[in-house]
């Protein structure tokens, strides 16, 4: 994206060897429809992964399985040492450590920006209110909207709302952040402010999985790009190799379509 | 037109006042009363109707009305309009029913305490609201003790309750309990647990499918067949239970509508933050769902309040029942209009207040988020 971002990849935020997410032979069905077929993925701490692919390829579903917004029917998902099963305790524990940003922000419209950010820390982490508010203010400053703290989400622009959503997730101090097409619902002039926030987060060493069509973001930030089609991982590679030297025909076709304009 | 616009750089065009014929009272009248031929005809017809109805009604109700007098004939002697003396004489009966005269201070006190208990529930900007709400939660027990007696107060059998007081007892109890029960039924109905869902659906459909009068008859007569012999609990209590579950069934469906209007993303947002089911419901979903449901909820409340008049069928005397009984008095024959107008006024004031409050609440809860 920006010049400053170009240089960041080589600095201290390089991923470690410690594996935080393991997905092993995972399958998922919606009724009879086989959406995810034999997904295998390992993510190490601090790694930034961009998942791309045509719509309906199952890329959102994969990351929604990681915090169990979707249930998988076969295979294993282990997040930060905890296997996701039907056990509610495990699910809650994983969700506490995994933040998520959605395409449509999913902010709570009846609560102010500040209340949106402090709700989960207070009720889930049992942080005292004053401390939660201080933390929230810190993150709101980091996403550059501290002055909007007492407004309601409906009074903010789309880009501001998405940055609030990022701050809301960060207030839980997650170890992993999932982004599900965070810029797809935004006007072009607002995409940059959200991407800048995400780049900043990447620079700080957060483990990130992003489903996105922003190939510029993938090139500058990702350690690995994953291409999915028809519920399968078709190709995964470092961004440079992925964009300059795509292996499969399907990837080449996708890239030619997405980069053509 | 285009020339003048091009004389300005973007952003420099000055703000101009709107044309004078689009603002002010004349414009308002033209727009709202005389905007089209149909509109003009309607306006004139309405004006004519008001002219015909309003002066006559006002004369009858106020200017030609008798406010004092011994009986019907005394009224007739002084004025040919309404005879409000009748209502004046029966006011105590209308208010307290057959509650013993020397104990009526207990009803008055309960009413004052009721007002005090409602305020913290209705308004969130009053000081010490937290303590007020604790008091509100205790109020039903205080009022029950005051009205029924025992523990130092002379007991008054509930069969002596009547009039406006009876309506308030049934209406307020029904309103206070049907909302939480309705919320639970609605949550049960949309629950993923098949057994809970089945019970709630069955309950709602059964209660909604039966007229309230039938439930009241069940309460007054049949219930004793189902209960073990010897148990005999109060008729008023049985009526309260029936009215409450009846309203709760309707309430549940109103709230379910609100719940289904909440986008799936709200649940996912709450889930992704690690909130538990009850936290999600209480903090995220219900505040929004109830807000959407306010018109329907108040509708149900108003319906419930007016349905309390049905208890006359099983022998409890609400204002309407007392009014009908009073009309049998030979001293005051032929005054049914006055009686029914008075009862209507009481119900109208109560229901209109609820309706206005709901509008206030809706505007207060509006956070600028339009879906």
């Amino acid at each position: 994206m920006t010049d400053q971002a170009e240089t960041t990849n080589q600095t201290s935020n390089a991923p470690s060897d410690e594996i935080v997410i393991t997905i092993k032979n995972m399958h998922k069905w919606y009724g009879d429809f086989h959406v995810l077929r034999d997904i295998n993925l390992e993510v190490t701490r601090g790694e930034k992964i961009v998942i791309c692919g045509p719509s309906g390829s199952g890329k959102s579903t994969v990351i929604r399985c990681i915090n169990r917004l979707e249930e998988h029917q076969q295979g294993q998902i282990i997040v930060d040492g905890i296997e996701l099963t039907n056990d509610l305790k495990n699910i809650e524990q994983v969700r506490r450590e995994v933040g998520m940003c959605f395409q449509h922000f999913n902010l709570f419209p009846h609560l102010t920006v500040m209340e949106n950010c402090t709700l989960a820390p207070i009720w889930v982490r049992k942080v005292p209110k004053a401390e939660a508010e201080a933390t929230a203010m810190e993150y709101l400053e980091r996403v550059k909207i501290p002055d909007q703290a007492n407004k309601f989400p409906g009074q903010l622009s789309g880009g501001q709302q998405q940055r609030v959503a990022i701050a809301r997730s960060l207030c839980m101090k997650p170890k992993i952040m999932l982004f599900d097409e965070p810029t797809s619902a935004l006007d072009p002039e607002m995409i940059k402010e959200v991407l800048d926030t995400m780049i900043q987060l990447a620079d700080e060493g957060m483990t990130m999985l992003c489903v996105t069509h922003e190939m510029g973001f993938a090139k500058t930030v990702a350690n690995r790009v994953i291409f999915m089609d028809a519920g399968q991982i078709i190709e995964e590679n470092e961004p440079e190799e992925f964009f300059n030297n795509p292996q499969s025909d399907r990837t080449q076709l996708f890239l030619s379509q997405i980069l053509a304009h | 037109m285009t020339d003048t616009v091009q004389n300005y750089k973007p952003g420099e065009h000055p703000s101009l006042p709107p044309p004078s014929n689009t603002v002010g009272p004349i414009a308002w009248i033209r727009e709202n009363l005389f905007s089209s031929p149909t509109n003009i005809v309607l306006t004139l017809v309405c004006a004519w109707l008001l002219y015909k109805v309003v002066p006559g009604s006002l004369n009858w109700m106020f200017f030609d009305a008798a406010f004092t007098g011994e009986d019907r004939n005394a009224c007739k002697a002084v004025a040919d309009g309404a005879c409000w003396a009748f209502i004046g004489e029966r006011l105590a009966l209308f208010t307290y029913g057959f509650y013993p005269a020397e104990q009526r201070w207990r009803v008055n006190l309960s009413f004052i305490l009721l007002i005090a208990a409602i305020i913290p529930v209705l308004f969130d900007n009053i000081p010490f609201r937290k303590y007020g709400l604790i008091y509100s939660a205790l109020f039903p027990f205080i009022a029950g003790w005051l009205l029924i007696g025992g523990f130092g107060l002379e007991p008054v059998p509930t069969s002596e309750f009547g009039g406006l007081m009876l309506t308030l007892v049934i209406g307020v109890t029904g309103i206070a309990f049907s909302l939480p029960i309705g919320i639970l039924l609605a949550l049960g109905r949309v629950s993923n647990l098949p057994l809970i869902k089945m019970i709630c659906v069955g309950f709602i459909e059964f209660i909604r499918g039966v007229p309230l009068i039938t439930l009241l008859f069940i309460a007054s007569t049949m219930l004793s067949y189902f209960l073990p012999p010897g148990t005999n609990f109060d008729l008023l209590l049985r009526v309260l239970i029936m009215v409450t579950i009846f309203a709760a069934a309707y309430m549940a469906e109103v709230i379910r509508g609100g719940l289904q209007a909440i986008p799936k993303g709200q649940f996912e947002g709450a889930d992704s933050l690690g909130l538990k089911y009850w936290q999600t419901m209480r903090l995220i979903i219900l505040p929004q769902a109830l807000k959407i449901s306010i018109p329907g909820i108040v509708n149900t409340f108003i319906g419930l309040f007016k349905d309390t008049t049905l208890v006359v069928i099983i022998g409890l005397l609400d204002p309407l029942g007392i009014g009908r009984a009073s009309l049998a008095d030979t001293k005051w024959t032929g005054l049914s209009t006055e009686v029914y107008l008075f009862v209507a006024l009481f119900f109208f004031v109560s229901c209109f207040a609820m309706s206005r409050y709901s509008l206030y609440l809706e505007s207060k809860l509006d956070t600028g988020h339009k879906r």
Side-chain angles (χ1 to χ4, degrees):
Chain A
M1 275 285 110
T2 58
D3 291 1
Q4 158 221 352
E6 296 277 355
T7 56
T8 52
N9 246 356
Q10 293 84 40
T11 51
S12 62
N13 65 33
S16 73
D17 294 338
E18 182 195 354
I19 291 168
V20 281
I21 301 175
T22 311
I23 300 177
K24 226 185 265 174
N25 305 109
M26 191 255 282
H27 292 257
K28 173 167 178 61
W29 289 263
Y30 285 128
D32 287 337
F33 179 54
H34 199 169
V35 244
L36 296 181
R37 303 162 191 228
D38 197 23
I39 303 291
N40 286 287
L41 181 65
E42 279 186 349
V43 183
T44 60
R45 190 174 300 288
E47 197 173 14
K48 289 102 188 109
I49 292 181
V50 164
I51 305 175
C52 59
S55 68
S57 60
K59 53 197 191 305
S60 285
T61 312
V62 168
I63 70 164
R64 289 160 60 87
C65 282
I66 293 173
N67 66 351
R68 194 68 169 195
L69 289 183
E70 305 280 355
E71 195 180 327
H72 62 282
Q73 279 89 25
Q74 223 180 75
Q76 252 188 336
I77 302 178
I78 300 167
V79 181
D80 202 27
I82 304 156
E83 177 165 7
L84 281 169
T85 57
N86 281 324
D87 189 346
L88 270 180
K89 273 229 165 58
N90 285 1
I91 295 173
E92 280 163 12
Q93 212 173 333
V94 166
R95 283 178 179 167
R96 246 175 282 158
E97 306 304 334
V98 179
M100 184 158 192
C101 285
F102 300 87
Q103 182 177 2
H104 297 289
F105 330 133
N106 297 354
L107 292 173
F108 307 131
H110 62 302
L111 300 177
T112 62
V113 166
M114 179 53 91
E115 288 165 338
N116 265 283
C117 292
T118 55
L119 185 98
I122 289 174
W123 290 93
V124 180
R125 287 234 192 264
K126 314 284 178 205
V127 174
K129 192 172 175 227
E131 192 187 322
E133 283 180 352
T135 313
M137 213 56 210
E138 198 180 297
Y139 284 111
L140 286 174
E141 265 160 31
R142 212 182 292 184
V143 300
K144 302 195 178 61
I145 35 176
D147 45 324
Q148 314 283 0
N150 293 315
K151 287 198 184 163
F152 287 99
Q155 297 165 313
L156 305 185
S157 73
Q160 289 174 323
Q161 289 193 44
Q162 191 61 290
R163 284 185 284 151
V164 172
I166 294 173
R168 177 177 77 175
S169 298
L170 293 179
C171 283
M172 283 294 281
K173 311 231 162 113
K175 293 176 178 160
I176 300 159
M177 282 290 290
L178 308 174
F179 292 86
D180 188 2
E181 305 203 23
T183 55
S184 301
L186 297 177
D187 291 339
E189 45 190 321
M190 291 168 184
I191 290 177
K192 186 176 174 302
E193 62 187 53
V194 170
L195 288 181
D196 283 348
T197 307
M198 290 168 64
I199 290 167
Q200 187 190 351
L201 196 60
D203 289 347
E204 287 159 12
M206 177 65 77
T207 310
M208 291 165 71
L209 279 89
C210 310
V211 171
T212 182
H213 299 295
E214 297 296 328
M215 290 304 133
F217 175 79
K219 278 178 196 161
T220 50
V221 172
N223 303 111
R224 223 180 337 154
V225 179
I226 291 174
F227 176 72
M228 286 187 67
D229 191 25
Q232 281 173 297
I233 294 180
I234 305 289
E235 191 166 338
E236 66 179 278
N237 218 329
E238 285 169 9
E240 203 162 312
E241 274 294 290
F242 179 84
F243 288 108
N244 298 338
N245 190 15
Q247 300 298 307
S248 80
D249 297 345
R250 191 65 195 84
T251 317
Q252 285 164 11
L253 179 65
F254 175 77
L255 285 177
S256 71
Q257 282 167 344
I258 205 164
L259 298 175
H261 55 82
Chain B
M1 233 10 206
T2 44
D3 305 44
T4 51
V5 168
Q6 279 164 1
N7 289 338
Y8 297 103
K9 283 182 189 146
E12 282 184 3
H13 194 295
S15 302
L16 302 173
S20 60
N21 62 350
T22 60
V23 287
I26 306 275
W28 186 90
I29 287 172
R30 197 160 40 192
E31 206 171 293
N32 292 287
L33 300 180
F34 300 105
S35 61
S36 68
T38 328
N39 214 339
I40 292 171
V41 171
L42 282 175
T43 303
L44 293 178
V45 168
C46 288
W48 179 75
L49 279 176
L50 287 175
Y51 167 73
K52 281 287 178 195
V53 170
V54 172
S57 312
L58 287 179
N59 279 341
W60 185 83
M61 279 196 284
F62 300 109
F63 306 122
D64 294 340
F67 292 92
T68 53
E70 289 281 283
D71 56 12
R72 177 86 207 266
N73 294 332
C75 274
K76 271 221 163 129
V78 292
D80 50 2
C83 179
W84 297 120
F86 178 43
I87 304 294
E89 195 194 86
R90 296 296 168 98
L91 195 58
L93 190 63
F94 271 115
T95 315
Y96 303 105
F98 304 105
Y99 210 84
E102 68 279 11
Q103 301 292 333
R104 282 176 186 165
W105 62 270
R106 282 154 57 177
V107 180
N108 296 341
L109 181 60
S110 305
F111 184 70
I112 295 167
L113 292 178
L114 169 68
I115 305 279
I118 286 178
I119 288 172
V121 178
L122 295 192
F123 303 101
D124 64 356
N125 47 4
I126 58 160
F128 304 112
R129 181 168 188 240
K130 215 170 166 186
Y131 303 104
L133 285 174
I134 295 173
Y135 161 67
S136 304
L138 292 176
F139 171 77
F141 303 100
I142 302 172
W145 171 62
L146 271 174
L147 293 176
I148 296 167
F151 303 104
L153 285 174
E154 190 180 316
V156 176
T158 55
S159 54
E160 292 179 3
F161 287 23
L164 307 182
M165 168 218 167
L166 180 68
T167 301
L168 283 179
V169 168
I170 301 174
V172 171
T173 313
I175 286 172
F177 288 96
S178 63
L179 184 60
I181 298 175
I183 291 173
L184 291 179
L185 284 172
L187 289 179
R189 180 151 196 179
V190 298
S191 158
N192 293 327
L193 306 170
L195 184 67
I196 290 180
K197 185 171 178 161
M198 225 167 64
I199 292 172
C200 290
V201 171
F203 180 86
I204 292 169
E205 294 301 346
F206 174 74
I207 299 291
R208 277 204 312 170
V210 176
L212 179 56
I213 296 183
T214 314
L215 289 178
L216 290 176
F217 275 131
I218 292 175
S220 75
T221 59
M222 287 170 68
L223 215 56
S224 44
Y225 298 131
F226 301 134
L227 295 168
T231 45
N232 174 35
F233 73 106
D234 196 85
L235 177 61
L236 180 61
L237 183 60
R238 289 188 249 169
V239 167
L240 287 178
I241 293 172
M242 284 304 183
V243 168
T244 304
I245 60 173
F246 186 76
Y250 278 87
M251 196 65 75
E253 287 298 279
V254 168
I255 294 168
R256 183 170 69 98
L259 287 173
Q260 284 175 345
I262 305 298
K264 199 165 153 249
Q266 292 290 306
F267 291 89
E268 292 181 350
D271 280 348
S272 74
L273 288 167
L275 291 169
K276 295 185 168 72
Y277 173 82
W278 284 109
Q279 291 174 332
T280 305
M281 286 302 165
R282 194 165 70 78
L283 301 166
I284 310 298
I285 306 303
L286 279 175
Q288 297 183 60
L290 291 179
K291 185 185 124 189
I292 303 173
S293 316
I294 287 172
I297 291 174
V298 174
N299 211 10
T300 311
F301 280 166
I302 288 175
L304 178 156
F305 197 74
K306 292 190 299 182
D307 279 351
T308 57
T309 51
L310 290 174
V311 297
V312 75
I313 285 172
I314 56 164
L316 296 177
L317 287 181
D318 80 314
L320 201 56
I322 290 193
R324 286 174 62 95
S326 305
L327 288 176
D329 190 337
T330 46
K331 239 172 60 170
W332 301 94
T333 45
L335 295 176
S336 49
T337 315
E338 283 87 340
V339 167
Y340 292 135
L341 268 181
F342 173 71
V343 176
L345 180 72
F346 164 71
F347 278 102
F348 176 76
V349 167
S350 310
C351 296
F352 188 64
M354 286 192 244
S355 156
R356 297 311 295 185
Y357 175 74
S358 86
L359 287 182
Y360 156 79
L361 198 60
E362 276 175 63
S363 68
K364 198 185 67 150
L365 295 180
D366 184 16
T367 57
H369 184 95
K370 297 271 176 284
R371 268 187 283 273

